Amino acid sequence: MNLRSLVSLTALGALWGASFLFIRVAVPQWGPLALIEARCLLAGAALWLVLRALHHERPTWRQQGSVRHYLTLGALSGALPFTLIAAAELRLPASLAATLNATTPLFALLIGASRGQERLTARRGVGVFLGVGGVAVLVGLSPVRPDAPLLLAVAASLLAALCYGLGGVYAARHFSTVPPTAVAAGQQLAAAALLLPLLPFAPPPELPGARSTWSVLALALPCTALGFALFYRIVAAHGPATALTVTFLVPAFGVLWGALLLDELLTPSMLVGLAAVLASVVLVTRRPGTTVTDMTSEAEGPSAVASNPVAIPTARDVPFRSTRIPRSTHRKR
């Protein structure tokens, strides 16, 4: 990986790590549903406009079953996990939420093993137990008092990670031949469509101020839309295995931004828990004899969901491609 790509990967980790910060700032005034509706709608519209401007393939809704598939993926990889994370951050610090989200590859492994698609080896078993231990350390020794609301928030974060794992399996099965950026745009727009009917039942609890509104814009545009653009650029240049090493950067940046910008308390136990969770991800996703940047264990299969707020699906043995629509098809004859 050259310096330019390394900078892009670091920027991607910083953006996706910052998304937890923006959620933490905006969710008290917007509420989980309104916040995620705005995020998905703005990000999906931005991605759609970029695809159209570049004359790349956009999500197709007319093919049989495509609407149902996009709605299912939008629920599993967008509406449900995004809303669960936002609800959890009403109680959790951004740094803790970002670290809990790093358990996504662990859930993806367990899902694959239950379907007979993955082998739960001794090394991977140790990784799962290490991840569970890291979560226990984070929750038990966190700076927030471990009461019932905190435990519910932790459960919501872990359920969001499970949803990402399920979304990755579903995407690998139904979107293997669709360009990833088109899948991302369709996923975000489908999530927005699913959440829209629920808004009257859960409106923003108060009138959002300027700070929370800017946070929503930052969450939707730089963190989600621009983040996807950076991710797919890295995928195109180096493949999904290298791009998915962002898994290790997102929680680190989440902890960093929370401590620097929100004055969240950073304790030694949190660092121990973070290290345990990241080590577990290495054990689960790394094949024997490979380095971290060469990991391919599930980078192109059901576990192809980076521990980030936007579930990244890429199908096994289907290389990244960006389909350009001929300009002539856009002209009136």
Side-chain angles (χ1 to χ4, degrees):
M1 177 179 286
N2 56 32
L3 179 60
R4 183 176 181 180
S5 297
L6 185 61
V7 170
S8 296
L9 186 68
T10 304
L12 177 60
L15 285 172
W16 280 346
S19 66
F20 292 91
L21 178 146
F22 293 126
I23 291 173
R24 186 72 179 90
V25 171
V27 72
Q29 291 187 333
W30 281 76
L33 274 177
L35 171 62
I36 302 308
E37 172 65 23
R39 174 189 186 176
C40 293
L41 185 60
L42 289 172
L47 288 168
W48 182 283
L49 291 175
V50 169
L51 288 171
R52 182 171 182 177
L54 297 177
H55 303 286
H56 289 176
E57 183 177 331
R58 297 185 294 278
T60 55
W61 314 105
R62 297 179 181 178
Q63 296 179 1
Q64 185 176 5
S66 62
V67 172
R68 174 171 54 87
H69 291 324
Y70 271 112
L71 288 174
T72 303
L73 184 64
L76 291 175
S77 294
L80 280 173
F82 287 2
T83 305
L84 286 168
I85 290 171
E89 287 203 54
L90 286 169
R91 175 66 175 166
L92 296 181
S95 54
L96 181 54
T99 304
L100 290 172
N101 192 242
T103 59
T104 294
L106 309 185
F107 285 107
L109 168 64
L110 295 176
I111 294 168
S114 69
R115 294 168 59 90
Q117 297 172 339
E118 287 300 319
R119 292 179 56 201
L120 192 58
T121 62
R123 175 176 53 83
R124 286 178 159 184
V126 171
V128 171
F129 280 109
L130 186 60
V132 172
V135 170
V137 170
L138 285 168
V139 175
L141 301 178
S142 72
V144 183
R145 186 168 60 90
D147 53 11
L150 175 70
L151 296 179
L152 286 175
V154 170
S157 292
L158 295 177
L159 183 57
L162 173 61
C163 288
Y164 284 144
L166 291 170
V169 173
Y170 191 85
R173 181 176 180 181
H174 296 284
F175 292 91
S176 61
T177 60
V178 182
T181 311
V183 176
Q187 169 192 316
Q188 300 296 325
L189 292 173
L194 288 170
L195 292 173
L196 185 60
L198 302 177
L199 279 182
F201 303 99
E206 58 183 279
L207 183 65
R211 183 168 180 258
S212 63
T213 300
W214 281 111
S215 294
V216 171
L217 293 174
L219 174 66
L221 300 178
C223 293
T224 304
L226 178 59
F228 266 112
L230 282 174
F231 178 80
Y232 293 129
R233 179 179 178 180
I234 299 169
V235 170
H238 302 282
T242 298
L244 284 171
T245 57
V246 74
T247 299
F248 306 100
L249 297 178
V250 170
F253 273 107
V255 170
L256 177 64
W257 296 140
L260 291 179
L261 302 178
L262 295 182
D263 294 325
E264 293 182 352
L265 184 61
L266 184 59
T267 64
S269 63
M270 289 186 64
L271 296 178
V272 171
L274 173 62
V277 170
L278 294 183
S280 72
V281 173
V282 172
L283 291 173
V284 165
T285 60
R286 182 180 176 186
R287 288 193 185 281
T290 61
T291 64
V292 171
T293 55
D294 291 331
M295 287 186 306
T296 59
S297 177
E298 278 301 301
E300 295 166 281
S303 299
V305 183
S307 63
N308 58 67
V310 282
I312 309 299
T314 359
R316 179 181 298 277
D317 298 327
V318 179
F320 173 85
R321 63 186 179 91
S322 181
T323 304
R324 183 179 296 275
I325 300 174
R327 291 180 180 272
S328 59
T329 61
H330 296 275
R331 298 173 183 170
K332 294 183 178 180
R333 299 184 181 274

